Amino acid sequence: MTNPTRIRATVKDGITEVRARMSHAMETGQRKTAAGGLVPAHFITDLTVHHGDRVVLSAQFGPSVSANPYLAFKFRGGAAGERVRVSWIDNKGESRSDEAEIA
């Protein structure tokens, strides 16, 4: 299991800004070990961000995204005290979902 996703969400003038850092190795499958063997690919493939029941961001990632990906975006709506949820699934079937309150 990976560390929790660090999420910060703030609202100003009806626009909510979400910043998230996911803790994930994001191995491309092209890196070699000291013994010369390939490190197996292991990366996030699907990411979804919910505000309540509404999907505010859906993305597909590939092996070219760096380790511990950082994501920042804005959406209309949201109010202080409401929650956003960041969920991801990787190519090995592991998943994680974390929430934060909008400040």
Side-chain angles (χ1 to χ4, degrees):
M1 183 55 80
T2 63
N3 291 327
T5 299
R6 295 178 60 188
I7 307 166
R8 293 190 187 219
T10 57
V11 62
K12 183 178 179 183
D13 299 328
I15 305 292
T16 300
E17 180 178 19
V18 178
R19 293 175 287 158
R21 180 175 303 280
M22 291 144 277
S23 178
H24 197 282
M26 300 297 284
E27 286 290 345
T28 64
Q30 298 177 352
R31 191 168 62 91
K32 291 185 178 181
T33 65
L38 286 177
V39 176
H42 188 199
F43 54 89
I44 294 172
T45 57
D46 296 294
L47 172 84
T48 307
V49 181
H50 286 85
H51 168 239
D53 292 334
R54 180 173 68 133
V55 175
V56 292
L57 178 78
S58 179
Q60 293 181 331
F61 286 3
S64 62
V65 176
S66 67
N68 303 319
Y70 174 76
L71 179 70
F73 68 98
K74 298 177 182 177
F75 67 90
R76 288 193 187 280
E82 294 180 346
R83 300 190 73 77
V84 292
R85 184 177 69 244
V86 176
S87 304
W88 55 258
I89 299 172
D90 67 23
N91 66 322
K92 291 187 175 182
E94 296 176 16
S95 64
R96 177 150 199 118
S97 184
D98 295 291
E99 289 187 356
E101 185 174 296
I102 299 172

